Amino acid sequence: GGFATTADGHRLFAAYLRRKARHVFAILANVSEEGFHVEIIPSLHGADRRALLTRKLGQIYFNNSLCAALSLGRSRNQRPEERVLLTALTNNELLAPWLDAIAAARIALAGVYSLPLLAAALLRRLGIADEPCLLLSIQDQSVRQSYFENGELYFSRLAPLPNSSLSGIAQSLASEAQKLQQYLVSQRLIGRQQPICAYLLTHAGAQPTVAAECIDSPTLYYRIIDIDECARRTGLKTPLPTSHSEAIFLNLLAYAAPRVQLADDDVRHDYHLERLRSALYGTGGLTLLGSLLF
């Protein structure tokens, strides 16, 4: 189903939910209103670590309910420290009507996911998990650009796609990759002379145009990934007619959802109840079967 971001669209979505009352839902957000911040924290465990991360998220993303912390591994220095990525959707009102409708219908919501969080799983499926790199993809009328190091997300941004023709897509991929590379240099996430690869997800029909526009330089070089090959490696059997990659990320969300999502336990309350209900039914079924066998 498709639903407009209007009062009528929200009403139709609520009616749709009533027909899917026993289904489990997940939300995938691809929006520009998001934040990414790398923080170094002491090496902690259990409740102490959770309390520290909750405090850090509250300080950086004050009053943002959709946020999460993603571990990036040990810090490079000798002290026992951990690097974490603090991320959030910074506009609470953006998803509020949809979350309110899901809550009113008592629908089980597994989580709220940001598209960049799924991109790391895509890199692993493509065998690109070790080197620092950029990943650029087309969704709707936008270009998603993400920076990864050792297979982990460090930063992502969304830029509008003003022209969706083949030449417009090629020009946007080239210019946005250059902008992101320059931004990463300015933030000292990569070195000024450090070469980095930008992986571009495009359809086979667009590749000659993209290749002609994306010219390698000493600090930025390009690798084009065929979107149908990408879909095959992620388990999507339906061929994709264009360079738009929404179906790939939705399929990843269905079959390889990342462990980190943005919704808190209050939003996922009905999902936890559904899991508990399923566990009780399973335990009851096994007990009955055991009794019958006895």
Side-chain angles (χ1 to χ4, degrees):
F3 309 97
T5 55
T6 62
D8 284 341
H10 299 152
R11 179 178 53 79
L12 292 173
F13 180 61
Y16 173 82
L17 292 176
R18 288 194 291 272
R19 301 193 299 271
K20 307 286 185 180
R22 297 311 301 270
H23 288 235
V24 176
F25 279 66
I27 291 178
L28 176 60
N30 185 43
V31 296
S32 59
E33 295 92 339
E34 57 189 338
F36 300 91
H37 178 79
V38 176
E39 186 85 9
I40 297 178
I41 64 171
S43 183
L44 300 172
H45 302 280
D48 291 337
R49 183 178 182 274
R50 289 193 295 271
L52 176 60
L53 291 176
T54 299
R55 186 171 72 252
K56 292 284 186 182
L57 287 167
Q59 291 170 347
I60 296 172
Y61 302 116
F62 177 72
N63 205 29
N64 290 118
S65 57
L66 297 174
C67 55
L70 175 66
S71 177
L72 300 176
R74 293 275 183 163
S75 180
R76 293 190 182 95
N77 57 39
Q78 299 300 316
R79 299 173 61 186
E81 294 176 325
E82 179 188 10
R83 288 180 299 168
V84 293
L85 176 69
L86 306 179
T87 180
L89 301 183
T90 55
N91 184 352
N92 287 338
E93 302 303 317
L94 197 63
L95 295 183
W98 314 100
L99 291 174
D100 290 345
I102 288 172
R106 303 300 302 272
I107 293 292
L109 180 66
V112 177
Y113 299 85
S114 172
L115 189 140
L117 297 178
L118 284 163
L122 177 59
L123 285 182
R124 287 190 291 272
R125 295 292 181 97
L126 296 173
I128 312 168
D130 296 330
E131 59 181 300
C133 65
L134 313 180
L135 178 67
L136 282 77
S137 59
I138 305 295
Q139 294 81 214
D140 193 25
Q141 295 299 313
S142 64
V143 182
R144 167 63 65 180
Q145 316 127 57
S146 303
Y147 168 62
F148 298 87
E149 187 177 319
N150 296 324
E152 298 289 356
L153 175 70
Y154 272 70
F155 179 76
S156 187
R157 64 188 292 268
L158 193 67
L161 179 66
N163 183 354
S164 56
S165 67
L166 291 184
S167 61
I169 288 175
Q171 292 169 8
S172 292
L173 289 173
S175 63
E176 294 303 331
Q178 293 167 10
K179 290 177 185 177
L180 180 56
Q181 187 262 349
Q182 292 166 4
Y183 173 80
L184 295 173
V185 169
S186 70
Q187 297 298 306
R188 298 184 179 179
L189 289 172
I190 62 175
R192 186 171 298 276
Q193 300 301 321
Q194 176 184 344
I196 191 166
C197 181
Y199 290 94
L200 314 175
L201 268 60
T202 63
H203 191 267
Q207 289 177 16
T209 307
V210 172
E213 192 70 37
C214 297
I215 307 299
D216 292 349
S217 71
T219 56
L220 179 64
Y221 58 99
Y222 302 89
R223 295 291 181 269
I224 297 175
I225 301 175
D226 184 84
I227 200 166
D228 282 331
E229 173 66 14
C230 181
R232 185 186 66 79
R233 292 202 186 188
T234 56
L236 183 65
K237 297 179 175 62
T238 305
L240 300 177
T242 67
S243 295
H244 290 238
S245 61
E246 291 94 329
I248 290 175
F249 289 102
L250 287 169
N251 190 61
L252 275 173
L253 178 58
Y255 293 104
R259 68 185 186 280
V260 174
Q261 57 83 41
L262 304 171
D264 59 24
D265 287 337
D266 290 339
V267 175
R268 304 171 74 211
H269 175 73
D270 290 295
Y271 174 66
H272 293 316
L273 290 180
E274 181 64 28
R275 293 183 67 185
L276 179 60
R277 187 182 300 114
S278 297
L280 291 174
Y281 285 154
T283 302
L286 288 174
T287 302
L288 176 60
L289 178 61
S291 300
L292 291 173
L293 289 174
F294 179 78

